[in-house]
Amino acid sequence: MAGTAVDTDVIVVGAGPAGLMLAGELRLGGARVILLERLSAPTGQSRGLGFTARAMEVFDQRGLLPRFGQGETLAVSPMGHFGGVQFDYTALEDGHFGARGIPQNETEAVLEEWALELGADLRRGWEVVGLAEGFLDGDHVEVTVAGPEGTGRLRAAYLVGCDGGQSSIRRAAGFDFPGLPASRAMFLADVVGCGLKPRFLGERLPGGMVMAAPLKEGVDRIIVCPHGTPARDRDDDVTFAEVAAAWQHITGEDISGGSAQWVSSFSDATRQVGTYRRGRVLLAGDAAHIHLPAGGQGLSTGVQDAANLGWKLAATVRGTAPAGLLDTYHGERHPVGQRLMMNTRAQGTVFLGGEQSDPLRALFAELIEHDAVKRHLAGIVSHLDIRYDVHAPDAPDTDRAAAHPLLGRRLAKRPLTGADGESDTLRLLHPARGVLLDLADDARVRAVAVRWAGRVDVVTAAAKPAEGATDVLAGLDAVLVRPDGHVVWTGEGSAHGLEGALGRWFGEGRAA
């Protein structure tokens, strides 16, 4: 960056799933990263127990699935729920309720190892305590940090807050955070020696709702949602005695003879920042949106925020990004966050609304018998239904109406065969570069992409039918895929529009 000496290209604050994923994505894109985490060591606590189908694909795009210790194909659950109403997610092709039984601390350990291997500079025990003015219109951002060696200042081209729902970066940079305040308190704990029966999808009782799932021998994860419990400050300490009393109030079961490895509270507060970027400060994950943890979507949405932002921000600091690329982060992810707010609030109303929600719950149970409804709800919670508008801003509505159904959607995992042997569509994305997939061995298509060598990999291969799956590439001669796996151009018999799409997403090509 010209003009001001900086310590790094990007400062990322918060080493949770979103921050770690972003650090890795930035390094793959060639950006220097300092990752600050105020905690000196991971807590070992795990709010999340898995991730959605789309987040699983994002990890697969970077070759991370084998690191979770269960092989490249993790165990997934075809059955899930929407607001406690159970249904089969495989009504949607490629759909499932996501990878289950993977504690969040294990996900964070995998992402941390990956980010460090790529060269991210992780500094634990360091906290941002000040943000200098000038980040809105200056050529850098400067923060004051405090840590084991005292206080100091760091400068970077950009700052990204991935520091959770109580984000200090969000407050310091003046982001608005409108929405609905918490109306009730709920509890989360890993309990030992309580001998609980499983309640995987939750049990609704007159006093509230409870969930229970075995984690390992003698240890159960419980969620306790009593009716009428007022919201509490997140900084208030929660005791196992409180959790046990709430459990007994709802179920009649006494678990006070057991113990807890850890306990926490959460709420139904629903808020989203009005913009994901203010000048040189951006937000991702819970720092940008908080919601009821219905369907386990929080971690997965944060990971997808990072996958969307990382390659765009890296290209920006490298100087190869086209004008406006970084602004597409807000344009694409803010509507996803809005949809997340909608579906989690709807689930909370259906599941936690007490007797008043019974008619709505009964109606959902009727509607969910219809395949179209199943596919719609499965798409929402799995995040497989996300589609971005990848047309040029001035493209006529007729172009959008006539677009191929795959345009703007993620490219599902499908087997490929080429000169280098067997591969698949997600493996091509491991380096986090764009991919021009030439399915018809068309020299015209390959010739157009020459000027973007190094930013876009050109792969000539034939798509193989996937057993039991629709051939999403049928009828296409070529597709252009962004580093985050979303299709931004489709070719059917010609290279028409390819040069414009390459320039729009990957910047100006080298001179011929």
Side-chain angles (χ1 to χ4, degrees):
M1 182 181 65
T4 302
V6 294
D7 300 290
T8 189
D9 294 322
V10 183
I11 297 169
V12 178
V13 181
L20 291 164
M21 186 75 194
L22 180 59
E25 292 288 305
L26 288 165
R27 289 299 301 139
L28 281 174
R32 298 173 298 157
V33 185
I34 293 176
L35 177 57
L36 302 176
E37 170 53 56
R38 65 180 181 83
L39 298 178
S40 58
T43 66
Q45 297 181 5
S46 179
R47 287 175 172 263
L49 282 177
F51 32 82
T52 66
R54 179 57 186 144
M56 186 171 171
E57 285 184 337
V58 170
F59 293 146
D60 203 2
Q61 289 172 183
R62 301 298 182 252
L64 293 172
L65 287 188
R67 299 187 183 218
F68 288 93
Q70 300 182 49
E72 190 167 345
T73 303
L74 299 179
V76 299
S77 172
M79 300 302 297
H81 69 92
F82 190 92
V85 182
Q86 187 174 8
F87 69 99
D88 187 345
Y89 274 66
T90 58
L92 181 73
E93 187 167 23
D94 302 312
H96 50 75
F97 198 54
R100 289 292 172 259
I102 302 173
Q104 181 173 325
N105 62 305
E106 291 184 14
T107 300
E108 291 178 359
V110 166
L111 294 176
E112 179 176 333
E113 179 184 58
W114 173 64
L116 292 177
E117 287 174 1
L118 292 171
D121 181 357
L122 172 58
R123 303 182 184 183
R124 288 194 175 274
W126 289 90
E127 183 175 6
V128 174
V129 295
L131 173 63
E133 295 182 4
F135 63 86
L136 286 175
D137 51 14
D139 65 354
H140 71 284
V141 60
E142 182 177 296
V143 295
T144 303
V145 296
E149 300 170 13
T151 60
R153 293 180 181 272
L154 288 174
R155 286 180 174 178
Y158 289 91
L159 170 70
V160 186
C162 299
D163 50 339
Q166 303 297 312
S167 172
S168 63
I169 301 302
R170 185 183 65 231
R171 293 193 297 270
F175 286 83
D176 63 334
F177 200 37
L180 298 174
S183 65
R184 61 191 299 168
M186 293 162 275
F187 305 107
L188 178 71
D190 287 350
V191 298
V192 180
C194 295
L196 299 175
K197 69 177 183 181
R199 296 171 169 94
F200 293 108
L201 295 181
E203 182 178 4
R204 297 171 72 250
L205 295 164
M209 188 279 293
V210 294
M211 288 186 178
L215 297 180
K216 56 185 178 181
E217 184 67 30
V219 181
D220 296 289
R221 162 67 53 86
I222 65 172
I223 297 175
V224 192
C225 304
H227 293 323
T229 303
R232 59 191 295 159
D233 193 306
R234 282 288 301 273
D235 293 331
D236 291 348
D237 290 333
V238 183
T239 66
F240 174 62
E242 288 181 83
V243 176
W247 184 273
Q248 185 167 23
H249 170 72
I250 297 172
T251 67
E253 299 169 3
D254 184 3
I255 62 171
S256 61
S259 61
Q261 295 179 333
W262 61 275
V263 297
S264 181
S265 68
F266 64 97
S267 77
D268 58 350
T270 303
R271 296 185 182 277
Q272 183 187 22
V273 290
T275 178
Y276 282 22
R277 177 189 178 192
R278 297 198 76 222
R280 293 184 173 269
V281 180
L282 302 101
L283 301 177
D286 290 350
H289 40 70
I290 60 171
H291 55 90
L292 182 74
Q297 300 175 74
L299 181 156
S300 297
T301 302
V303 163
Q304 292 170 77
D305 286 347
N308 186 287
L309 174 60
W311 69 276
K312 297 174 181 178
L313 187 51
T316 300
V317 299
R318 286 200 329 265
T320 61
L325 179 66
L326 194 55
D327 290 327
T328 67
Y329 170 59
H330 167 83
E332 292 179 347
R333 294 305 296 173
H334 191 271
V336 171
Q338 288 179 314
R339 197 160 174 77
L340 176 68
M341 305 295 102
M342 177 272 290
N343 96 65
T344 52
R345 284 187 62 199
Q347 291 195 65
T349 300
V350 173
F351 206 14
L352 303 176
E355 291 184 2
Q356 289 183 331
S357 73
D358 285 346
L360 184 59
R361 184 178 173 84
L363 179 60
F364 259 88
E366 289 184 13
L367 291 173
I368 217 163
E369 292 299 314
H370 298 277
D371 286 344
V373 175
K374 290 179 185 177
R375 289 192 295 270
H376 185 75
L377 295 180
I380 290 175
V381 179
S382 69
H383 303 161
L384 295 181
D385 71 342
I386 293 171
R387 185 179 191 182
Y388 302 136
D389 182 358
V390 297
H391 290 85
D394 58 353
D397 291 341
T398 52
D399 284 3
R400 291 177 169 84
H404 190 279
L406 192 57
L407 194 68
R409 296 192 182 277
R410 106 284 183 205
L411 182 59
K413 187 172 186 174
R414 294 292 185 268
L416 301 168
T417 182
D420 295 329
E422 304 294 317
S423 186
D424 64 64
T425 49
L426 298 191
R427 197 178 306 173
L428 300 181
L429 293 166
H430 285 189
R433 292 189 292 269
V435 174
L436 177 60
L437 181 56
D438 169 23
L439 298 163
D441 195 4
D442 189 339
R444 297 171 301 171
V445 167
R446 297 194 298 273
V448 172
V450 167
R451 292 167 50 211
W452 284 268
R455 282 172 266 166
V456 177
D457 296 333
V458 180
V459 178
T460 299
K464 297 172 59 179
E467 185 178 349
T470 299
D471 184 0
V472 295
L473 297 171
L476 292 175
D477 295 314
V479 293
L480 178 62
V481 188
R482 302 189 319 194
D484 61 355
H486 283 262
V487 175
V488 293
W489 175 83
T490 59
E492 300 172 76
S494 79
H496 176 70
L498 175 57
E499 185 173 1
L502 285 163
R504 186 160 60 253
W505 293 105
F506 300 101
E508 186 176 350
R510 297 195 310 267

